[in-house]
Amino acid sequence: MKDRIFYITTPIYYVNASPHIGHAYTTIVADVLARYHRLRGDKTFFLTGTDEHGDKIAEAAKKGGVTPKEYADGISAQFRSLWPELAVTNDRFIRTTDADHVATVRGILQKVYDSGDIYFGEYEGFYCVGCERFYMEKELLDGKCPQHETVPEHRKESNYFFRMGKYQEWLINHIETHPDFIRPERYKNEALAFLREPLEDLCISRPKSRLTWGIDLPFDENYVTYVWFDALINYLTGVGYPEGENFGTFWPVAQHLIAKDILKPHGIYWPTMLKAAGIEPYQHLNVHGYWNVDQSKMSKSLGNVVKPLDLKDKYGLDPFRYFLLRDMVFGLDSSFSEEAFVQRINSDLANDLGNLVSRTMQMAIKYGDGRVPTPDAAAFAEQALPEAAARALAEVESCFTTLALHKALIAIWEFINVTNKTIVEKEPWVLAKDPANKERLATILYHLLEALRVTAVLITPFMPGSAAKILAQLGIADPAGQTFETLRAWGGLPAGSALTKGETLFPRVEVKKEEDKPAAAAVAAKAEVPAIKPEIAYEDFQKIDLRVAKVLAAERVPKSSKLLKLSVEIDGERTVVAGMGKDYTPEEMVGKQIVVVANLKPAKLMGVESRGMLLATDTEEGLTLLGFDKPPKTGANIH
Ligand code: ME8
């Protein structure tokens, strides 16, 4: 039953600054995972919250002229109220100032103290308040904290220490024998690299003479608990450790989600703390990369902090969630740019998905009686859509186990493209002209509507609002019943339910002319655009005769997987050989108007003479032909 239970946590965020896009990303990823598991029918618990003790918060409160608790209340409330606005469905919002958490921390400290793994000693080192931890001299870069680029304070004081070093060998062995304990692999390797050096004991207290804002040590009231020792334990408090029923259910499958900045506390301190307290380690630590902004680190001083609510208000919640998940490869850094965001809205959402929904609904309503038609199995012999749906489902499920969420979205968009292609191929508007085609038309429309249902269910974890809107248009008022189980067999959409055409799901975002340039530059930068060739004179360009050509016939060049032999009309008929065979079938090419370099010297390709060259470009999904917004005349000049 282990796999039918799911427990996911985010870091608990420091309350010294307002939420930004990085916090939103982690929390939305956790939400997508939680929603996915609920859709599979798994018993799910999702925990997020705020980290409120320590020097950092005490300092920020002092600057603001309020008490640490007042300060923490204010910012914690900002996080708490942000999550519902981003459709985040956490089961608990924990604060380290919550009474049950304080009790849990004290209980664990006492337990570890009693077992002899906490001792009193002297410490001297370099303390970074930003990181809330000591650094060894050799870890500093030019004497500065490598994360914050600030000079750490030199501190010497008597404190309590946790015998972390004692668990070094155990931890190395645990990581090596549980290859998915820390993932992706690069972060597992990073953790093992830390462990190649001798692991020092961890200072887990602060004298009250210097800091009072923390949880009192149960065995010495002159000290408060070090903020990381306090914070990590939230993952236990959240599910009711030690007695709560949820603890027994969820802890064995606990998964943490963090960014790479806090790998060391989670990958090293935390498992050793659990081991010392006699608690099983968590199951997975999932580590993602950093969102940068326009290639540089986000920071208050650079003034480039991206606020999640601003983006949601400007572009809508679902586009924001989609963009974050689609544009970051889990584990790697990604650079946020508003231009790339707009590009995604217009191409993936408005064009591919939005148009598909509106076209299909429009046709289904126009050519039917306003209800989901009854399909006739015999009239729809081919299996392209059901097969594509099964492929998408399998891929999405596999991506969820490895957290490759961007790949899950790519798989869903492949299915959307197959559906769009089906409309082009089946031409329902042509069938509608002849009443003899009634059953075939009804069947095709049914399958297109079922494809919309499948798409809606697949996007539910990512874009729950849009998914519900699509389902409502299909006459499914309650999206709760639309689980992943309903996707196992094709044809779950009930015939007869009432169709309603909704508003445009994803309005296009108009890009102002002067903004065109940065948009193109941003996209270009992402795709690693080849260098521009040396300049040529206008007269040289004029030598190239580009023409509109119409493809009259097409076939594969024997023994070539790539080459298509096209008969095209320009100023008469001629043969053009094109390397499009992996991305287009010969049937797809026929009837298309394309762009051809008409005066290129003839060349032989695999024995076939080509008189001209067709123009195309690369996309993430392969080659695409250059096309036209309005139908041009065959043979026309392109200038
Ligand atoms: O470290 N890109 O809190 P924190 C992606 N309280 N994610 C980012 C990000 C960015 N640019 N910036 C922040 C703490 N994050 C501790 C955690 S847990 C027991 C205690 C996200 O407010 C990411 O999840 O500094 C990162 O790990 C976390 O915010 C750090 O949040």
Side-chain angles (χ1 to χ4, degrees):
M1 282 308 278
K2 222 174 168 185
D3 57 341
R4 309 306 292 182
I5 300 169
F6 184 69
Y7 175 30
I8 187 77
T9 69
T10 72
I12 46 170
Y13 304 111
Y14 283 131
V15 290
N16 65 333
S18 300
H20 60 60
I21 189 175
H23 305 119
Y25 174 74
T26 315
T27 314
I28 288 172
V29 170
D31 184 63
V32 171
L33 298 175
R35 283 177 181 271
Y36 167 75
H37 283 274
R38 290 189 200 111
L39 263 184
R40 280 167 38 108
D42 300 351
K43 200 168 178 188
T44 298
F45 198 87
F46 166 17
L47 181 70
T48 188
T50 44
D51 187 358
E52 308 188 2
H53 292 125
D55 285 309
K56 218 170 151 113
I57 314 304
E59 275 188 10
K62 203 167 161 194
K63 268 194 203 144
V66 289
T67 66
K69 182 64 169 60
E70 282 166 344
Y71 188 81
D73 284 347
I75 302 215
S76 178
Q78 285 184 22
F79 278 95
R80 190 193 284 263
S81 64
L82 171 65
W83 303 138
E85 296 230 35
L86 300 183
V88 165
T89 54
N90 50 300
D91 293 293
R92 177 169 174 186
F93 184 91
I94 192 168
R95 302 181 58 182
T96 50
T97 46
D98 288 343
D100 62 344
H101 178 68
V102 173
T104 309
V105 171
R106 287 168 60 88
I108 289 186
L109 280 165
Q110 190 66 53
K111 196 168 174 187
V112 180
Y113 184 71
D114 291 345
S115 69
D117 276 347
I118 289 176
Y119 64 92
F120 193 64
E122 176 102 328
Y123 197 81
E124 188 172 351
F126 299 92
Y127 195 78
C128 170
V129 173
C131 296
E132 295 274 20
R133 76 169 178 97
F134 281 101
Y135 276 90
M136 286 180 285
E137 198 161 4
K138 64 175 181 209
E139 286 182 287
L140 302 175
L141 280 181
D142 295 332
K144 290 182 180 165
C145 159
Q147 290 259 0
H148 293 90
E149 292 166 19
T150 47
V151 179
E153 286 171 32
H154 183 257
R155 287 185 184 173
K156 185 177 175 182
E157 57 197 26
S158 295
N159 264 312
Y160 286 88
F161 290 83
F162 162 52
R163 291 188 203 283
M164 190 158 70
K166 178 175 158 188
Y167 296 101
Q168 177 162 12
E169 284 313 309
W170 166 81
L171 181 56
I172 293 172
N173 184 51
H174 188 81
I175 295 174
E176 282 175 348
T177 52
H178 298 79
D180 282 348
F181 184 58
I182 300 175
R183 59 187 183 181
E185 177 102 14
R186 56 191 353 233
Y187 297 110
K188 170 183 128 177
N189 294 337
E190 207 173 298
L192 285 171
F194 286 139
L195 290 165
R196 247 173 252 132
E197 303 279 319
L199 190 58
E200 298 197 358
D201 290 346
L202 183 68
C203 175
I204 54 129
S205 65
R206 299 290 177 263
K208 274 196 185 163
S209 54
R210 201 165 51 68
L211 176 76
T212 52
W213 182 234
I215 298 176
D216 284 0
L217 292 185
F219 41 83
D220 187 342
E221 61 186 28
N222 294 316
Y223 285 84
V224 293
T225 312
Y226 167 48
V227 65
W228 270 106
F229 201 96
D230 157 359
L232 289 160
I233 291 172
N234 93 86
Y235 302 135
L236 296 174
T237 315
V239 282
Y241 171 86
E243 313 270 85
E245 191 190 314
N246 273 348
F247 176 70
T249 307
F250 292 108
W251 185 254
V253 294
Q255 296 203 35
H256 304 309
L257 184 64
I258 59 166
K260 61 184 185 180
D261 54 337
I262 50 178
L263 173 62
K264 191 168 184 182
H266 283 81
I268 313 280
Y269 305 173
W270 184 220
T272 57
M273 283 166 61
L274 287 165
K275 180 74 182 159
I279 303 166
E280 281 299 301
Y282 52 78
Q283 196 179 36
H284 298 296
L285 177 63
N286 305 296
V287 188
H288 64 74
Y290 244 49
W291 276 101
N292 299 320
V293 173
D294 293 327
Q295 315 295 337
S296 46
K297 207 170 165 176
M298 219 184 328
S299 82
K300 257 195 202 165
S301 51
L302 285 177
N304 63 353
V305 174
V306 182
K307 300 231 171 91
L309 276 185
D310 293 354
L311 291 173
K312 178 211 155 187
D313 291 345
K314 194 162 169 195
Y315 298 110
L317 174 57
D318 280 1
F320 176 56
R321 288 175 60 114
Y322 176 79
F323 174 76
L324 288 182
L325 296 157
R326 177 64 184 78
D327 263 44
M328 183 176 259
V329 175
F330 193 89
L332 302 183
D333 290 354
S334 199
S335 188
F336 175 82
S337 93
E338 206 161 331
E339 290 77 20
F341 182 14
V342 167
Q343 180 85 11
R344 282 263 174 234
I345 296 179
N346 286 346
S347 68
D348 301 10
L349 297 180
N351 256 7
D352 299 346
L353 177 56
N355 271 349
L356 172 65
V357 173
S358 78
R359 263 175 109 185
T360 307
M361 292 305 298
Q362 206 159 3
M363 287 190 294
I365 291 170
K366 187 166 163 194
Y367 304 139
D369 62 357
R371 297 188 170 272
V372 176
T374 306
D376 170 356
F380 192 82
E382 60 161 304
Q383 287 293 307
L385 276 179
E387 277 169 18
R391 261 200 316 276
L393 175 63
E395 180 69 12
V396 168
E397 292 190 314
S398 129
C399 290
F400 266 99
T401 59
T402 56
L403 305 195
L405 299 183
H406 72 291
K407 273 200 187 159
L409 286 170
I410 292 173
I412 299 171
W413 256 253
E414 267 166 22
F415 178 60
I416 290 172
N417 289 339
V418 172
T419 314
N420 269 322
K421 248 190 204 162
T422 305
I423 297 182
V424 175
E425 276 168 21
K426 305 291 174 203
E427 301 184 312
W429 52 92
V430 175
L431 294 175
K433 285 187 187 142
D434 184 349
N437 295 324
K438 198 166 163 235
E439 275 174 3
R440 175 144 180 78
L441 176 63
T443 304
I444 287 168
L445 290 173
Y446 177 84
H447 288 279
L448 292 173
L449 293 167
E450 168 69 349
L452 292 191
R453 184 188 73 90
V454 169
T455 305
V457 177
L458 290 174
I459 65 168
T460 297
F462 302 92
M463 296 191 281
S466 308
K469 281 187 194 161
I470 298 172
L471 292 171
Q473 293 192 30
L474 296 171
I476 300 170
D478 177 17
Q482 297 296 308
T483 63
F484 269 50
E485 265 332 286
T486 69
L487 303 184
R488 303 266 173 243
W490 181 258
L493 179 64
S497 43
L499 298 170
T500 25
K501 176 110 183 61
E503 297 161 11
T504 306
L505 274 180
F506 305 105
R508 281 185 72 81
V509 179
E510 289 311 323
V511 184
K512 284 197 217 98
K513 264 281 165 273
E514 57 275 20
E515 283 173 15
D516 277 346
K517 267 194 189 151
V523 173
K526 272 209 123 109
E528 283 174 21
V529 173
I532 305 272
K533 292 178 186 154
E535 275 176 7
I536 55 166
Y538 183 67
E539 301 78 65
D540 288 334
F541 168 68
Q542 270 189 319
K543 289 184 198 154
I544 304 169
D545 197 349
L546 296 173
R547 296 297 182 104
V548 177
K550 182 163 185 180
V551 182
L552 304 174
E555 60 185 281
R556 290 193 182 278
V557 173
K559 298 205 188 94
S560 166
S561 61
K562 238 173 81 180
L563 296 182
L564 296 180
K565 179 180 165 194
L566 311 175
S567 291
V568 303
E569 166 84 34
I570 301 180
D571 53 345
E573 207 173 320
R574 62 163 91 186
T575 297
V576 171
V577 179
M580 308 289 292
K582 288 210 166 128
D583 304 289
Y584 287 80
T585 61
E587 299 75 49
E588 277 175 299
M589 294 297 295
V590 175
K592 284 209 170 7
Q593 287 192 301
I594 57 176
V595 180
V596 167
V597 185
N599 60 339
L600 199 65
K601 232 192 201 153
K604 266 200 174 161
L605 294 156
M606 301 222 20
V608 185
E609 189 181 69
S610 179
R611 291 186 51 225
M613 188 178 78
L614 155 170
L615 298 190
T617 186
D618 296 309
T619 71
E620 274 182 23
E621 290 127 56
L623 289 169
T624 189
L625 291 165
L626 262 60
F628 305 94
D629 273 345
K630 297 175 196 143
K633 256 209 193 118
T634 297
N637 267 114
I638 294 169
H639 39 82

